Amino acid sequence: MSTRTLLSPAALSRPRGKAAYWTVFTGTVLLFVIGFLFPVYWMVTGAMKSADEVARTPPTLVPERWQVSGYTDAWDLMQLPEHLWNTVVQAAGAWLFQLVFCTAAAYALSKLRPAFGNVILGGILATLMVPAQALVVPKYLTVADLGLLNDPVAIWLPAVANAFNLYLLKRFFDQLPRDVLEAAEMDGAGRLRTLWSIVLPMSRPVLGVVSIFALVAVWQDFLWPLMVFSDTDKQPISVALVQLSQNIPLTVLIAAMVIASIPMVAMFLAFQRHIIAGIGAGSTKG
């Protein structure tokens, strides 16, 4: 079966064909770069404008007068260090709990083959079909009965029950080379030793992806922290930005949003190689 292309290899070898190819390629890349980065640029520069300029119509593309007072005011007026630390504690605990328990459950379902394992997995995956809003009230009543309101544990425990990440880990464990695990068993390694010394080192790509998903989910969550943290001093940054936005200048609020987004952007830039490797992890052959 022959395939048709816009430009044949012969046409690409000609100067006019090369020019057409690179023109289309460069234009497409620039279009995507502008589409993704322009909102970020608009938010960063918006915090450097005056209150009158940021509300002006039509808007200015470049600030008439660059000023960083919006960022310093946001840092002080909105108590960003305190709320950022609250978010770090909640996200780190949720990440640790989720990584430990989801990894253990996925390993058990994949390699230990428990009785009714497929039924258990099916029940776990069925929770993905339930709207998250329908689970809010039962979760809140459970947390309230346990006396965990205004406690980071109220964020950590519900985060453990993540069916998507558990299934992602299980699918990766299913595709690990079985001869490696059998060799470890022949050397006398137990189940726990095999998990710690063999499975986890081989699972770094997917563990990186699960970690990113876990951290981002907690960092950007709003409804659940709003319900369980009535104490303003213990609220994460996502809730504090809304709760403290009353009578705050728009430039200061925009600056606070920029500061709140920096940790997630930095984390993505630092671990993007692991994210890309994790996306291709499903191609591992057992």
Side-chain angles (χ1 to χ4, degrees):
M1 180 183 294
S2 62
T3 58
R4 296 182 179 180
T5 59
L6 294 177
L7 292 175
S8 64
L12 285 174
S13 63
R14 303 189 187 102
R16 183 176 298 180
K18 290 182 179 180
Y21 170 79
W22 284 109
T23 300
V24 174
F25 177 78
T26 304
T28 303
V29 171
L30 288 177
L31 184 63
F32 276 94
V33 169
I34 293 174
F36 282 104
L37 295 184
F38 182 76
V40 178
Y41 166 81
W42 191 260
M43 185 169 62
V44 173
T45 57
M48 298 182 178
K49 299 177 182 178
S50 64
D52 295 334
E53 185 181 359
V54 76
R56 184 182 305 172
T57 302
T60 56
L61 186 62
V62 179
E64 296 177 349
R65 180 184 176 187
W66 298 82
Q67 51 189 5
V68 296
S69 59
Y71 291 99
T72 57
D73 291 343
W75 188 261
D76 297 329
L77 294 178
M78 303 193 72
Q79 304 173 355
L80 291 186
E82 180 180 351
H83 295 294
L84 283 171
W85 175 249
N86 293 339
T87 310
V88 169
V89 171
Q90 296 167 21
W95 164 77
L96 182 61
F97 271 72
Q98 191 172 142
L99 208 62
V100 171
F101 288 99
C102 284
T103 300
Y107 178 71
L109 291 172
S110 175
K111 299 303 180 185
L112 304 186
R113 306 289 183 180
F116 306 106
N118 290 333
V119 176
I120 296 173
L121 179 62
I124 293 173
L125 295 180
T127 61
L128 294 174
M129 308 302 172
V130 181
Q133 295 79 0
L135 301 175
V136 169
V137 173
K139 285 197 303 182
Y140 179 82
L141 294 177
T142 302
V143 169
D145 291 340
L146 294 175
L148 298 178
L149 296 179
N150 291 310
D151 194 312
V153 180
I155 301 294
W156 300 347
L157 293 183
V160 174
N162 192 307
F164 177 78
N165 285 346
L166 189 150
Y167 181 70
L168 191 66
L169 288 166
K170 180 187 178 300
R171 289 295 301 166
F172 185 89
F173 293 161
D174 287 343
Q175 297 176 358
L176 291 178
R178 188 156 188 83
D179 54 347
V180 176
L181 303 182
E182 291 175 351
E185 293 178 2
M186 294 177 63
D187 290 339
R191 299 291 188 179
L192 186 60
R193 179 70 176 179
T194 301
L195 172 63
W196 181 259
S197 301
I198 305 298
V199 175
L200 292 183
M202 296 177 65
S203 305
R204 288 177 182 174
V206 72
L207 292 176
V209 173
V210 169
S211 298
I212 295 294
F213 287 165
L215 292 172
V216 170
V218 175
W219 198 275
Q220 68 181 7
D221 194 11
F222 172 77
L223 178 60
W224 181 244
L226 177 65
M227 295 180 64
V228 298
F229 288 106
S230 57
D231 188 348
T232 306
D233 294 335
K234 297 182 178 181
Q235 290 175 344
I237 190 68
S238 59
V239 178
L241 287 178
V242 177
Q243 299 288 71
L244 301 177
S245 62
Q246 308 297 329
N247 302 321
I248 293 293
L250 183 57
T251 53
V252 175
L253 181 60
I254 295 175
M257 293 179 180
V258 173
I259 295 174
S261 64
I262 288 176
M264 288 294 99
V265 175
M267 184 179 65
F268 173 79
L269 294 177
F271 295 101
Q272 60 177 328
R273 179 171 60 86
H274 299 282
I275 297 173
I276 296 173
I279 292 174
S283 60
T284 304
K285 300 298 182 182

